[in-house]
Amino acid sequence: DGPFYRGKDRDGQWITVLPVEVTGELMQQGKERFEVFCATCHGLGGDGDGMIAKRADALQEGTWVPPTSFHTDTIRQREVGYLFNTITYGVRNMAAYGPQVPVADRWAVVAYIRALQRSQNAGVDDVPPGTVPSS
């Protein structure tokens, strides 16, 4: 299955829909893997303010490329296949996690990143009816 393993469709385009069912279990797996492999640089909230990023900024060595915040318009608009590919092969200073993180877990991380993005950019219309107290 090309989309599942490569993040691309038959025409070589990034896929825009997750090729896995999003469940509570998948989101929990994504959160756990994110905290292990991603949060050290990107931060727990995905803002690019993890412990390694803070330490590198403090050292001021001039060679550090700060990790991307997942909450920029550019990253929010990226296709899920592109995010999967970035986790798999790395980008700039980010290491390739394909050899360490199984394919299914990479998709779980992508799903979790999308949830982080939505949590930071949600509006009242995103809240299910009956959960917001009326004023």
Side-chain angles (χ1 to χ4, degrees), residues 50-63:
M51 293 181 296
I52 291 174
K54 288 178 182 177
R55 176 70 175 144
D57 286 341
L59 291 174
Q60 297 280 319
E61 292 181 345
T63 58

Side-chain angles (χ1 to χ4, degrees), residues 85-106:
N85 186 75
T86 300
I87 295 167
T88 303
Y89 297 107
V91 64
R92 294 182 299 281
N93 287 352
M94 181 179 147
Y97 286 98
Q100 296 172 277
V101 181
V103 172
D105 286 355
R106 283 180 255 154

Side-chain angles (χ1 to χ4, degrees), residues 41-124:
C41 288
H42 291 281
L44 290 172
D47 294 304
D49 61 351
M51 293 181 296
I52 291 174
K54 288 178 182 177
R55 176 70 175 144
D57 286 341
L59 291 174
Q60 297 280 319
E61 292 181 345
T63 58
W64 175 249
V65 177
T68 302
S69 168
F70 298 134
H71 305 296
T72 65
D73 288 340
T74 300
I75 302 302
R76 279 195 305 268
Q77 293 168 6
R78 292 280 191 207
E79 299 89 346
V80 294
Y82 180 91
L83 298 177
F84 174 84
N85 186 75
T86 300
I87 295 167
T88 303
Y89 297 107
V91 64
R92 294 182 299 281
N93 287 352
M94 181 179 147
Y97 286 98
Q100 296 172 277
V101 181
V103 172
D105 286 355
R106 283 180 255 154
W107 284 117
V109 169
V110 171
Y112 185 72
I113 289 169
R114 286 298 197 225
L116 282 176
Q117 291 170 328
R118 188 166 184 184
S119 75
Q120 298 300 307
N121 297 286
V124 173

Side-chain angles (χ1 to χ4, degrees), residues 24-38:
E25 183 179 326
L26 180 87
M27 294 302 291
Q28 184 61 37
Q29 185 71 6
K31 179 180 187 284
E32 289 171 5
R33 295 294 173 247
F34 180 89
E35 289 175 354
V36 170
F37 294 102
C38 311

